[in-house]
Amino acid sequence: YLEAGYVAEGSELLEGVLGAFSRVYKVHGTQYLWLKTIKEPFEALAEKLRSNYQFRRTKFFPLLHGLQAENELMQGTVRKVTKGLKIVREDHARILELIGLIEQKGFGKTGGDCSTLRIFSRDLQSLFGLVKKQVQIERMHLVPLATSRLQS
């Protein structure tokens, strides 16, 4: 569910937002100070999300699928899942920190700007909403389920 509904959609949305930011920044970077102030945290967020999505697709979700299938957990699997859960928790904190920083620096103060800027703002808000929801679901369901499976 998370892989199809959040990771795939988030990856696609992220790539669209990155392209839009590049265009918007070239055209309006000198006009709107908030674009300059969010550039660095936005680029850090984009890189963190890319690596986060890649980690989940290629490492973490396959580990969790294996965790469900194994009756007797092997020590190597326990170590890998424990390490993966640590990475997920750290990613959650850093991603939410970067989103908060972007919002704090004035993102969204766009007024009656050009359509490209409005579309970028709308899509970035959609990405933020999707990521926050993913973090919430993982914190409330995925992490506790995986942790309880490791302890059983």
Side-chain angles (χ1 to χ4, degrees), residues 21 35-45 98:
F21 183 76
L35 282 171
K36 284 184 179 183
T37 62
I38 72 162
K39 186 177 190 306
E40 189 176 316
F42 174 73
E43 289 172 347
L45 176 65
L98 288 167

Side-chain angles (χ1 to χ4, degrees), residues 31-97:
Q31 185 179 2
Y32 297 106
L33 182 61
W34 68 268
L35 282 171
K36 284 184 179 183
T37 62
I38 72 162
K39 186 177 190 306
E40 189 176 316
F42 174 73
E43 289 172 347
L45 176 65
E47 183 57 37
K48 177 52 90 176
L49 286 174
R50 275 183 171 157
S51 66
N52 176 283
Y53 292 146
Q54 181 69 17
F55 169 73
R56 279 165 170 67
R57 270 193 302 268
T58 62
K59 305 256 190 228
F60 191 62
F61 290 152
L63 268 176
L64 293 181
H65 290 299
L67 189 65
Q68 288 177 336
E70 289 186 38
N71 289 333
E72 192 75 23
L73 293 179
M74 297 176 48
Q75 191 61 31
T77 302
V78 171
R79 271 196 308 274
K80 287 177 184 176
V81 172
T82 301
K83 185 177 177 181
L85 287 169
K86 181 179 184 243
I87 292 169
V88 166
R89 286 184 187 105
E90 290 169 355
D91 283 354
H92 287 165
R94 182 66 178 144
I95 288 167
L96 293 177
E97 175 189 345

Side-chain angles (χ1 to χ4, degrees), residues 102-143:
I102 292 167
E103 291 173 336
Q104 174 191 352
K105 288 185 178 272
F107 167 70
K109 298 178 182 175
T110 58
D113 305 307
C114 81
S115 61
T116 306
L117 188 55
R118 283 195 307 273
I119 291 167
F120 163 73
S121 295
R122 182 201 65 208
D123 290 350
L124 188 57
Q125 281 301 119
S126 295
L127 179 64
F128 285 179
L130 185 75
V131 169
K132 288 176 182 178
K133 184 70 174 169
Q134 177 186 345
V135 167
Q136 179 185 19
I137 290 169
E138 288 180 353
R139 283 181 170 175
M140 291 176 64
H141 301 287
L142 183 79
V143 171

